[in-house]
Amino acid sequence: MTAGPGLEQRLAQGVVLGAEGYVFELERRGYIKAGPYVPEVVLDFPGAVRELHREFLRAGADVMVALTYYAHREKLRHVGRENDLEAMNRHAVRLAREVAQEGGALVAGNVCNTWAYDPADPATSATVRDQYTEQLGWAVEEGIDFVISETNDYLGEALIALQVARELDLPAMVTLASTQPDTTRDGYDYVEACRILADHGATVVGLNCDRGPATMLPLLARIRAAVDCAVAAQPVPYRTSPAMPTIESLRADGVDHAFPLALEPFSCTRFDMAAFAAAARDLGVNYIGVCCGGAPHQVRAMAEALGRQVPASKYAPAMELHPILGAVPATADAHVLAAWNVPG
C-alpha cells in the first residue's frame, strides 16, 4: 500500500492523472508481440517495464498500473506460458510498486476483458471469476491500492471484476470499451451500464480505449450527468471522428487495416491530448488519462494542461531558443526562412 492519500482521498482533492498504453508502447519498442499482446516483457525484460513506469511517473502520472493486462490464464495458455502466470502477475505489481515509491504514486492492480466470457453460457462466468480472483489475489498479496478493471466489452464481465474487487475490500475503477456505437456487447447503453456499475459500488466508472478524444468526449458528458460517483476517461490518442469513431474503424488510403499496426497517420499530437485533458476536466471528469498508443510526452502535456509542473517539465519545449524557429533566428536569409516555413 502507498503511504499517503488513497484513491478516494485524491479524487476528493482534484483530478487524478492516469497513464496507460503500456502494451502498445512496449510493442513499439520491440518488447511485446503484436497480436497476442501478452506482457511477457514483465519477466523477459523487466527493466523495460520499469523504465516506462518511470517515464510516466516523471511525466506526471499519479498511478502506476501493474502490467497485467492480458496476463490471465486464458491468454497465457495461447502463447505457451501458463506456467508463468503467477510469477508474471506478482512481478508486474512489484515493478509498479517499486517505481510508485519513487514519487508517491498509487499502485493499481489490473484486470481486463478475458475473451472467455459469454453471457449465454453461465459456466463462463465462473471461469472469468476464477481468473480475476487469482490475478487480484496475487496483486493484493504484493500490495496494491486499488483495482482497475478495464476494456470491458460486456457489462456482465465488468460486474464480475467489480464483485471480486469488493470482496477484497479494494476501491475499483471500472471502465468500458465503447467499441460498438451505442451499447456494450451484452446490450446495455454505455451510460446505463456505468450507472449500474456505480450502483453496485464502483468507486470510479467510465470509458477507456477504442475512442479517441473527439468521439469519447460527447459520451463522457452523458455519463457525468448520469452518475454521482467519480468518472474516468482514458481515450486512445488517435484522431477518431463521427465517420470513424473508434481506432478499429480507422481507414487510410492503401492500408486495409490501420488498427493496430498502421495508426501513426491518425496520431494525436501532445497539443490534442492537452486540449482533451482540459476539456474532460471542465466536464467534471475526475480520472483523466490515456490508453493504447499513449506516450510520456502526451502525459506530460496533459499534466501541464491541468496546471501542474512535473519532473519532466524541466525538459518541456523552449522553442524560443530554436536557431530558426526561435525568437531571434540565427539567419535573416529569406530563402532559409522560407524553407523552414518561417515568415520573412
Short mmCIF file of all heavy atoms in Angstrom, two decimals, residues 224-277:
data_model
loop_
_atom_site.label_atom_id
_atom_site.label_comp_id
_atom_site.label_asym_id
_atom_site.label_seq_id
_atom_site.Cartn_x
_atom_site.Cartn_y
_atom_site.Cartn_z
N ARG A 224 -21.20 11.61 -17.14
CA ARG A 224 -21.00 12.51 -16.00
C ARG A 224 -22.35 13.00 -15.44
O ARG A 224 -22.52 13.12 -14.22
CB ARG A 224 -20.13 13.69 -16.43
CG ARG A 224 -19.88 14.78 -15.38
CD ARG A 224 -19.05 14.31 -14.20
NE ARG A 224 -19.81 13.47 -13.26
CZ ARG A 224 -19.28 12.86 -12.21
NH1 ARG A 224 -17.99 12.96 -11.97
NH2 ARG A 224 -20.04 12.14 -11.40
N ALA A 225 -23.28 13.26 -16.32
CA ALA A 225 -24.59 13.74 -15.89
C ALA A 225 -25.43 12.64 -15.25
O ALA A 225 -26.39 12.94 -14.52
CB ALA A 225 -25.34 14.33 -17.09
N ALA A 226 -25.08 11.37 -15.47
CA ALA A 226 -25.93 10.25 -15.05
C ALA A 226 -25.51 9.62 -13.74
O ALA A 226 -26.31 8.92 -13.12
CB ALA A 226 -25.95 9.18 -16.14
N VAL A 227 -24.26 9.83 -13.30
CA VAL A 227 -23.78 9.14 -12.09
C VAL A 227 -23.28 10.15 -11.08
O VAL A 227 -22.85 11.25 -11.42
CB VAL A 227 -22.67 8.12 -12.42
CG1 VAL A 227 -23.17 7.07 -13.40
CG2 VAL A 227 -21.42 8.80 -12.95
N ASP A 228 -23.32 9.73 -9.81
CA ASP A 228 -22.83 10.59 -8.73
C ASP A 228 -21.38 10.29 -8.34
O ASP A 228 -20.73 11.11 -7.70
CB ASP A 228 -23.72 10.42 -7.48
CG ASP A 228 -25.13 10.92 -7.72
OD1 ASP A 228 -25.29 11.91 -8.46
OD2 ASP A 228 -26.07 10.32 -7.17
N CYS A 229 -20.88 9.12 -8.72
CA CYS A 229 -19.51 8.76 -8.36
C CYS A 229 -18.52 9.41 -9.31
O CYS A 229 -18.89 10.11 -10.26
CB CYS A 229 -19.35 7.24 -8.35
SG CYS A 229 -19.43 6.48 -9.99
N ALA A 230 -17.25 9.18 -9.07
CA ALA A 230 -16.21 9.71 -9.94
C ALA A 230 -16.29 9.06 -11.32
O ALA A 230 -16.71 7.91 -11.47
CB ALA A 230 -14.83 9.47 -9.32
N VAL A 231 -15.85 9.81 -12.34
CA VAL A 231 -15.88 9.34 -13.73
C VAL A 231 -14.47 9.35 -14.28
O VAL A 231 -13.68 10.27 -14.04
CB VAL A 231 -16.79 10.25 -14.59
CG1 VAL A 231 -16.65 9.91 -16.08
CG2 VAL A 231 -18.24 10.10 -14.16
N ALA A 232 -14.14 8.29 -15.04
CA ALA A 232 -12.82 8.14 -15.65
C ALA A 232 -12.91 8.25 -17.16
O ALA A 232 -13.89 7.82 -17.78
CB ALA A 232 -12.20 6.80 -15.27
N ALA A 233 -11.85 8.80 -17.76
CA ALA A 233 -11.75 8.91 -19.21
C ALA A 233 -10.32 8.65 -19.62
O ALA A 233 -9.42 9.40 -19.28
CB ALA A 233 -12.17 10.30 -19.67
N GLN A 234 -10.11 7.55 -20.36
CA GLN A 234 -8.79 7.23 -20.88
C GLN A 234 -8.92 6.86 -22.36
O GLN A 234 -8.99 5.68 -22.71
CB GLN A 234 -8.14 6.10 -20.07
CG GLN A 234 -7.89 6.47 -18.62
CD GLN A 234 -6.79 5.65 -17.97
OE1 GLN A 234 -5.65 6.07 -17.86
NE2 GLN A 234 -7.13 4.45 -17.54
N PRO A 235 -8.95 7.87 -23.23
CA PRO A 235 -9.10 7.60 -24.66
C PRO A 235 -7.79 7.11 -25.27
O PRO A 235 -6.71 7.22 -24.67
CB PRO A 235 -9.46 8.98 -25.22
CG PRO A 235 -8.71 9.92 -24.33
CD PRO A 235 -8.80 9.31 -22.94
N VAL A 236 -7.89 6.60 -26.49
CA VAL A 236 -6.69 6.35 -27.27
C VAL A 236 -6.27 7.68 -27.90
O VAL A 236 -7.10 8.52 -28.23
CB VAL A 236 -6.93 5.29 -28.36
CG1 VAL A 236 -7.19 3.93 -27.72
CG2 VAL A 236 -8.09 5.67 -29.27
N PRO A 237 -4.97 7.90 -28.10
CA PRO A 237 -4.51 9.17 -28.65
C PRO A 237 -4.50 9.17 -30.18
O PRO A 237 -3.46 9.38 -30.82
CB PRO A 237 -3.10 9.30 -28.06
CG PRO A 237 -2.63 7.90 -27.98
CD PRO A 237 -3.84 7.07 -27.64
N TYR A 238 -5.68 8.92 -30.74
CA TYR A 238 -5.81 8.90 -32.19
C TYR A 238 -7.02 9.72 -32.60
O TYR A 238 -7.99 9.84 -31.84
CB TYR A 238 -5.92 7.46 -32.71
CG TYR A 238 -4.68 6.65 -32.42
CD1 TYR A 238 -4.66 5.72 -31.39
CD2 TYR A 238 -3.51 6.87 -33.15
CE1 TYR A 238 -3.50 5.00 -31.10
CE2 TYR A 238 -2.36 6.16 -32.87
CZ TYR A 238 -2.35 5.23 -31.84
OH TYR A 238 -1.21 4.54 -31.55
N ARG A 239 -6.95 10.26 -33.81
CA ARG A 239 -7.97 11.19 -34.27
C ARG A 239 -9.16 10.44 -34.87
O ARG A 239 -9.29 10.33 -36.10
CB ARG A 239 -7.37 12.18 -35.27
CG ARG A 239 -6.35 13.11 -34.61
CD ARG A 239 -5.74 14.06 -35.61
NE ARG A 239 -4.83 14.99 -34.94
CZ ARG A 239 -4.07 15.88 -35.57
NH1 ARG A 239 -4.11 15.95 -36.90
NH2 ARG A 239 -3.26 16.67 -34.90
N THR A 240 -10.00 9.95 -34.01
CA THR A 240 -11.25 9.35 -34.45
C THR A 240 -12.24 10.47 -34.79
O THR A 240 -12.03 11.63 -34.45
CB THR A 240 -11.82 8.45 -33.35
OG1 THR A 240 -11.94 9.20 -32.13
CG2 THR A 240 -10.90 7.26 -33.10
N SER A 241 -13.31 10.08 -35.49
CA SER A 241 -14.28 11.07 -35.97
C SER A 241 -15.66 10.41 -36.00
O SER A 241 -15.77 9.18 -35.87
CB SER A 241 -13.90 11.52 -37.38
OG SER A 241 -14.03 10.44 -38.29
N PRO A 242 -16.73 11.19 -36.17
CA PRO A 242 -18.05 10.56 -36.27
C PRO A 242 -18.12 9.52 -37.38
O PRO A 242 -18.83 8.51 -37.25
CB PRO A 242 -18.97 11.76 -36.56
CG PRO A 242 -18.29 12.91 -35.88
CD PRO A 242 -16.82 12.67 -36.10
N ALA A 243 -17.39 9.72 -38.46
CA ALA A 243 -17.40 8.74 -39.55
C ALA A 243 -16.58 7.50 -39.20
O ALA A 243 -16.89 6.39 -39.66
CB ALA A 243 -16.86 9.37 -40.82
N MET A 244 -15.52 7.68 -38.40
CA MET A 244 -14.66 6.58 -37.96
C MET A 244 -14.47 6.74 -36.45
O MET A 244 -13.45 7.27 -36.00
CB MET A 244 -13.32 6.61 -38.71
CG MET A 244 -13.45 6.38 -40.20
SD MET A 244 -11.84 6.33 -41.08
CE MET A 244 -11.35 8.06 -41.00
N PRO A 245 -15.45 6.31 -35.65
CA PRO A 245 -15.47 6.68 -34.24
C PRO A 245 -14.51 5.93 -33.34
O PRO A 245 -14.27 6.34 -32.20
CB PRO A 245 -16.91 6.39 -33.82
CG PRO A 245 -17.37 5.33 -34.78
CD PRO A 245 -16.68 5.64 -36.07
N THR A 246 -13.95 4.82 -33.82
CA THR A 246 -13.05 4.02 -33.00
C THR A 246 -11.76 3.74 -33.76
O THR A 246 -11.71 3.86 -34.99
CB THR A 246 -13.69 2.67 -32.61
OG1 THR A 246 -13.84 1.87 -33.81
CG2 THR A 246 -15.04 2.86 -31.93
N ILE A 247 -10.71 3.33 -33.02
CA ILE A 247 -9.45 3.01 -33.71
C ILE A 247 -9.62 1.81 -34.64
O ILE A 247 -8.94 1.74 -35.66
CB ILE A 247 -8.29 2.78 -32.72
CG1 ILE A 247 -8.66 1.78 -31.62
CG2 ILE A 247 -7.79 4.07 -32.17
CD1 ILE A 247 -7.49 1.41 -30.72
N GLU A 248 -10.51 0.91 -34.29
CA GLU A 248 -10.71 -0.26 -35.14
C GLU A 248 -11.33 0.14 -36.49
O GLU A 248 -11.17 -0.57 -37.48
CB GLU A 248 -11.61 -1.27 -34.45
CG GLU A 248 -11.00 -1.90 -33.20
CD GLU A 248 -11.23 -1.09 -31.94
OE1 GLU A 248 -11.80 0.03 -32.03
OE2 GLU A 248 -10.85 -1.56 -30.86
N SER A 249 -12.06 1.26 -36.51
CA SER A 249 -12.75 1.67 -37.74
C SER A 249 -11.92 2.61 -38.59
O SER A 249 -12.34 2.96 -39.70
CB SER A 249 -14.09 2.34 -37.38
OG SER A 249 -13.88 3.55 -36.66
N LEU A 250 -10.75 3.03 -38.13
CA LEU A 250 -9.93 3.96 -38.90
C LEU A 250 -9.44 3.31 -40.18
O LEU A 250 -8.99 2.16 -40.19
CB LEU A 250 -8.74 4.43 -38.07
CG LEU A 250 -9.07 5.33 -36.87
CD1 LEU A 250 -7.82 5.58 -36.02
CD2 LEU A 250 -9.67 6.66 -37.33
N ARG A 251 -9.51 4.06 -41.27
CA ARG A 251 -9.06 3.57 -42.57
C ARG A 251 -8.21 4.64 -43.25
O ARG A 251 -8.46 5.84 -43.10
CB ARG A 251 -10.26 3.27 -43.48
CG ARG A 251 -11.17 2.15 -42.95
CD ARG A 251 -10.47 0.79 -43.01
NE ARG A 251 -11.34 -0.27 -42.55
CZ ARG A 251 -11.39 -0.71 -41.28
NH1 ARG A 251 -10.62 -0.14 -40.36
NH2 ARG A 251 -12.20 -1.68 -40.93
N ALA A 252 -7.20 4.21 -44.00
CA ALA A 252 -6.34 5.12 -44.73
C ALA A 252 -6.13 4.58 -46.14
O ALA A 252 -6.20 3.37 -46.37
CB ALA A 252 -5.00 5.29 -44.01
N ASP A 253 -5.86 5.47 -47.07
CA ASP A 253 -5.62 5.05 -48.44
C ASP A 253 -4.44 4.08 -48.50
O ASP A 253 -3.37 4.35 -47.94
CB ASP A 253 -5.31 6.26 -49.32
CG ASP A 253 -6.53 7.14 -49.54
OD1 ASP A 253 -7.65 6.65 -49.31
OD2 ASP A 253 -6.35 8.31 -49.92
N GLY A 254 -4.66 2.95 -49.16
CA GLY A 254 -3.60 1.98 -49.34
C GLY A 254 -3.36 1.09 -48.14
O GLY A 254 -2.45 0.25 -48.17
N VAL A 255 -4.16 1.24 -47.08
CA VAL A 255 -3.98 0.43 -45.87
C VAL A 255 -5.31 -0.25 -45.56
O VAL A 255 -6.31 0.42 -45.32
CB VAL A 255 -3.54 1.29 -44.67
CG1 VAL A 255 -3.39 0.42 -43.42
CG2 VAL A 255 -2.23 2.00 -44.98
N ASP A 256 -5.33 -1.57 -45.59
CA ASP A 256 -6.57 -2.30 -45.34
C ASP A 256 -7.02 -2.15 -43.90
O ASP A 256 -8.21 -2.00 -43.62
CB ASP A 256 -6.39 -3.78 -45.68
CG ASP A 256 -6.23 -4.02 -47.16
OD1 ASP A 256 -6.71 -3.18 -47.94
OD2 ASP A 256 -5.61 -5.03 -47.53
N HIS A 257 -6.07 -2.24 -42.96
CA HIS A 257 -6.40 -2.15 -41.55
C HIS A 257 -5.38 -1.24 -40.86
O HIS A 257 -4.25 -1.63 -40.62
CB HIS A 257 -6.37 -3.53 -40.88
CG HIS A 257 -7.42 -4.47 -41.39
ND1 HIS A 257 -8.75 -4.38 -41.03
CD2 HIS A 257 -7.35 -5.50 -42.26
CE1 HIS A 257 -9.44 -5.32 -41.65
NE2 HIS A 257 -8.61 -6.02 -42.40
N ALA A 258 -5.80 -0.04 -40.55
CA ALA A 258 -4.91 0.87 -39.81
C ALA A 258 -4.65 0.30 -38.41
O ALA A 258 -3.54 0.39 -37.89
CB ALA A 258 -5.51 2.25 -39.72
N PHE A 259 -5.67 -0.28 -37.81
CA PHE A 259 -5.54 -0.88 -36.48
C PHE A 259 -5.00 -2.30 -36.61
O PHE A 259 -5.50 -3.07 -37.42
CB PHE A 259 -6.90 -0.92 -35.78
CG PHE A 259 -6.88 -1.61 -34.45
CD1 PHE A 259 -6.49 -0.94 -33.31
CD2 PHE A 259 -7.22 -2.96 -34.36
CE1 PHE A 259 -6.46 -1.60 -32.09
CE2 PHE A 259 -7.18 -3.61 -33.14
CZ PHE A 259 -6.80 -2.93 -32.00
N PRO A 260 -4.00 -2.67 -35.85
CA PRO A 260 -3.31 -1.87 -34.84
C PRO A 260 -1.92 -1.39 -35.25
O PRO A 260 -1.26 -0.71 -34.48
CB PRO A 260 -3.18 -2.86 -33.68
CG PRO A 260 -2.92 -4.17 -34.40
CD PRO A 260 -3.73 -4.11 -35.67
N LEU A 261 -1.47 -1.74 -36.46
CA LEU A 261 -0.06 -1.54 -36.78
C LEU A 261 0.22 -0.35 -37.70
O LEU A 261 1.38 -0.05 -37.98
CB LEU A 261 0.52 -2.80 -37.42
CG LEU A 261 0.45 -4.07 -36.56
CD1 LEU A 261 1.04 -5.25 -37.32
CD2 LEU A 261 1.19 -3.86 -35.24
N ALA A 262 -0.81 0.33 -38.17
CA ALA A 262 -0.60 1.46 -39.07
C ALA A 262 -1.42 2.68 -38.63
O ALA A 262 -2.01 3.39 -39.44
CB ALA A 262 -0.96 1.06 -40.50
N LEU A 263 -1.40 2.93 -37.35
CA LEU A 263 -2.20 4.01 -36.77
C LEU A 263 -1.49 5.36 -36.78
O LEU A 263 -2.12 6.39 -36.51
CB LEU A 263 -2.59 3.66 -35.34
CG LEU A 263 -3.62 2.54 -35.18
CD1 LEU A 263 -3.69 2.08 -33.73
CD2 LEU A 263 -5.01 3.02 -35.64
N GLU A 264 -0.20 5.37 -37.09
CA GLU A 264 0.57 6.61 -36.96
C GLU A 264 -0.04 7.81 -37.71
O GLU A 264 -0.01 8.92 -37.18
CB GLU A 264 2.02 6.39 -37.42
CG GLU A 264 2.87 5.60 -36.44
CD GLU A 264 2.74 4.10 -36.62
OE1 GLU A 264 1.87 3.66 -37.41
OE2 GLU A 264 3.52 3.37 -35.98
N PRO A 265 -0.61 7.63 -38.92
CA PRO A 265 -1.17 8.81 -39.60
C PRO A 265 -2.31 9.48 -38.83
O PRO A 265 -2.65 10.63 -39.11
CB PRO A 265 -1.67 8.24 -40.94
CG PRO A 265 -0.86 7.02 -41.16
CD PRO A 265 -0.64 6.44 -39.79
N PHE A 266 -2.89 8.76 -37.88
CA PHE A 266 -4.02 9.29 -37.12
C PHE A 266 -3.62 9.78 -35.73
O PHE A 266 -4.47 10.15 -34.93
CB PHE A 266 -5.10 8.21 -36.98
CG PHE A 266 -5.65 7.72 -38.28
CD1 PHE A 266 -5.16 6.56 -38.87
CD2 PHE A 266 -6.64 8.42 -38.95
CE1 PHE A 266 -5.66 6.10 -40.08
CE2 PHE A 266 -7.15 7.97 -40.16
CZ PHE A 266 -6.65 6.81 -40.73
N SER A 267 -2.33 9.79 -35.44
CA SER A 267 -1.88 10.09 -34.07
C SER A 267 -2.27 11.50 -33.64
O SER A 267 -2.13 12.47 -34.39
CB SER A 267 -0.36 9.95 -33.97
OG SER A 267 0.03 8.61 -34.13
N CYS A 268 -2.71 11.61 -32.40
CA CYS A 268 -2.93 12.91 -31.78
C CYS A 268 -1.59 13.51 -31.40
O CYS A 268 -0.67 12.80 -30.98
CB CYS A 268 -3.77 12.77 -30.51
SG CYS A 268 -5.50 12.33 -30.79
N THR A 269 -1.48 14.81 -31.51
CA THR A 269 -0.30 15.50 -31.02
C THR A 269 -0.41 15.69 -29.51
O THR A 269 -1.47 15.48 -28.90
CB THR A 269 -0.15 16.87 -31.66
OG1 THR A 269 -1.22 17.72 -31.20
CG2 THR A 269 -0.19 16.78 -33.19
N ARG A 270 0.68 16.12 -28.91
CA ARG A 270 0.64 16.45 -27.48
C ARG A 270 -0.37 17.56 -27.21
O ARG A 270 -0.98 17.60 -26.14
CB ARG A 270 2.04 16.86 -27.01
CG ARG A 270 2.59 18.12 -27.63
CD ARG A 270 4.04 18.35 -27.29
NE ARG A 270 4.90 17.44 -28.02
CZ ARG A 270 6.18 17.21 -27.70
NH1 ARG A 270 6.74 17.84 -26.68
NH2 ARG A 270 6.90 16.38 -28.42
N PHE A 271 -0.53 18.46 -28.19
CA PHE A 271 -1.47 19.57 -28.01
C PHE A 271 -2.91 19.06 -28.02
O PHE A 271 -3.76 19.56 -27.28
CB PHE A 271 -1.25 20.62 -29.11
CG PHE A 271 0.17 21.08 -29.21
CD1 PHE A 271 0.97 20.68 -30.27
CD2 PHE A 271 0.72 21.91 -28.24
CE1 PHE A 271 2.29 21.09 -30.36
CE2 PHE A 271 2.03 22.32 -28.31
CZ PHE A 271 2.82 21.93 -29.36
N ASP A 272 -3.19 18.07 -28.87
CA ASP A 272 -4.52 17.45 -28.88
C ASP A 272 -4.84 16.84 -27.52
O ASP A 272 -5.96 16.98 -27.00
CB ASP A 272 -4.60 16.34 -29.94
CG ASP A 272 -4.43 16.85 -31.36
OD1 ASP A 272 -4.85 17.98 -31.65
OD2 ASP A 272 -3.87 16.09 -32.18
N MET A 273 -3.86 16.13 -26.94
CA MET A 273 -4.11 15.46 -25.67
C MET A 273 -4.19 16.45 -24.52
O MET A 273 -4.97 16.25 -23.57
CB MET A 273 -3.02 14.41 -25.41
CG MET A 273 -3.01 13.28 -26.44
SD MET A 273 -4.63 12.52 -26.76
CE MET A 273 -4.99 11.83 -25.13
N ALA A 274 -3.44 17.54 -24.60
CA ALA A 274 -3.56 18.59 -23.59
C ALA A 274 -4.96 19.21 -23.64
O ALA A 274 -5.60 19.44 -22.60
CB ALA A 274 -2.49 19.66 -23.81
N ALA A 275 -5.45 19.45 -24.85
CA ALA A 275 -6.79 20.01 -25.01
C ALA A 275 -7.84 19.05 -24.47
O ALA A 275 -8.83 19.47 -23.84
CB ALA A 275 -7.05 20.35 -26.47
N PHE A 276 -7.65 17.75 -24.72
CA PHE A 276 -8.59 16.77 -24.18
C PHE A 276 -8.61 16.81 -22.66
O PHE A 276 -9.68 16.78 -22.03
CB PHE A 276 -8.25 15.36 -24.65
CG PHE A 276 -9.01 14.31 -23.90
CD1 PHE A 276 -10.33 14.04 -24.21
CD2 PHE A 276 -8.43 13.61 -22.85
CE1 PHE A 276 -11.06 13.10 -23.50
CE2 PHE A 276 -9.14 12.67 -22.13
CZ PHE A 276 -10.47 12.41 -22.45
N ALA A 277 -7.43 16.83 -22.04
CA ALA A 277 -7.37 16.84 -20.57
C ALA A 277 -8.12 18.03 -20.00
O ALA A 277 -8.89 17.89 -19.04
CB ALA A 277 -5.91 16.86 -20.11
#
